[in-house]
Amino acid sequence: MSDYTNFEVGQKFPLPIATQADGAMFQVDANGAMFILQLSRTDVIAREAFRTGKMEFAFYEQDGLLFLLYQIDGIFKEGWGDAPLSLHTLKPELLPTEKSLQDKTLHLYLVDTTLQILLAQRDIELNSKCQAIIQKHAAAQKKKPFSDEGFRKKVQSIWQKMTPAMMRQKASAVQSVPLAIPKAPSQIAQTNAASSKKLH
């Protein structure tokens, strides 16, 4: 993640979002790989589910396009969503770099659609297969970017034939994200006490 970009929960999301509507966006740029989920209605349970809940991501490839598929317990009751990757909307200075593509982190952001406020964030580490697929498609699109019309037509063509669930069945790589249960204060105290005993 680039040092100059400040992501702080409760503050304005610092990166421009082209389409301000409910849904997900998958972006790979100079800041790294990002999954941005925009929702106009959320509650404490949804924000906590995004921050600590169980998730699954998968990558589907077709006709030179890469789709990030996602399933998030506690936010979506069933089914899969999808978000296609495209670099053609990025400014030249935001294009992914060799350094950003080496980073295995997928940065997850939950954003309020209307106010563009960052509601929750989470970082996960991608497995090598997922990272390799992202690197391959980012390099190909940097070399030969899509046009707006070409990208839109390709995406629409795939959506007419494939549902996200069908894409998931043919995914090239999968990344499971386990439930991250934060320790209660009493557990932290017990862990600290145990560590202290080991030192003496």
Side-chain angles (χ1 to χ4, degrees):
M1 178 59 61
S2 178
D3 295 333
Y4 62 80
T5 308
N6 182 34
F7 296 85
E8 189 175 338
V9 172
Q11 300 299 315
K12 197 87 169 174
F13 190 68
L15 297 178
I17 299 178
T19 305
Q20 295 184 8
D22 281 18
M25 185 172 77
F26 175 38
Q27 184 164 306
V28 179
D29 62 19
N31 290 294
M34 290 177 281
F35 170 76
I36 302 165
L37 179 62
Q38 294 186 100
L39 295 176
S40 53
R41 292 184 180 181
T42 61
D43 54 21
V44 174
I45 294 171
R47 292 194 288 272
E48 192 61 20
F50 191 87
R51 196 174 68 84
T52 64
K54 184 181 177 184
M55 304 177 175
E56 188 165 293
F57 295 97
F59 293 89
Y60 173 73
E61 304 171 272
Q62 185 177 332
D63 298 338
L65 285 177
L66 177 64
F67 290 81
L68 174 65
L69 310 172
Y70 57 92
Q71 188 176 59
I72 304 174
D73 288 359
I75 295 182
F76 303 108
K77 290 182 180 179
E78 57 184 38
W80 287 83
D82 69 274
L85 173 67
S86 177
L87 306 185
H88 74 275
T89 57
L90 296 176
K91 293 179 179 178
E93 63 269 23
L94 275 178
L95 286 170
T97 63
E98 189 174 336
K99 183 180 178 182
S100 71
L101 289 174
Q102 292 301 317
D103 188 355
K104 286 188 175 183
T105 307
L106 176 62
H107 304 280
L108 314 178
Y109 300 108
L110 178 63
V111 178
D112 181 282
T113 307
T114 309
L115 301 174
Q116 292 296 290
I117 298 295
L118 179 59
L119 301 174
Q121 61 181 329
R122 184 177 188 178
D123 287 346
I124 63 169
E125 185 173 325
L126 294 168
N127 59 50
S128 298
K129 196 169 184 181
C130 291
Q131 187 193 23
I133 288 171
I134 292 173
Q135 288 174 333
K136 179 180 79 174
H137 282 270
Q141 289 195 30
K142 276 184 76 174
K143 190 174 182 181
K144 190 178 180 182
F146 289 108
S147 65
D148 279 329
E149 187 179 1
F151 176 75
R152 188 168 56 251
K153 282 184 175 179
K154 273 198 171 190
V155 170
Q156 291 294 340
S157 175
I158 293 170
W159 279 346
Q160 285 171 6
K161 300 168 187 171
M162 302 285 289
T163 63
M166 292 165 68
M167 293 183 193
R168 171 62 186 87
Q169 290 178 350
K170 298 183 177 183
S172 302
V174 178
Q175 177 73 56
S176 295
V177 182
L179 180 68
I181 303 174
K183 287 186 177 180
S186 59
Q187 290 178 303
I188 294 171
Q190 288 172 4
T191 303
N192 290 341
S195 300
S196 179
K197 285 178 182 177
K198 287 179 183 177
L199 291 171
H200 293 297

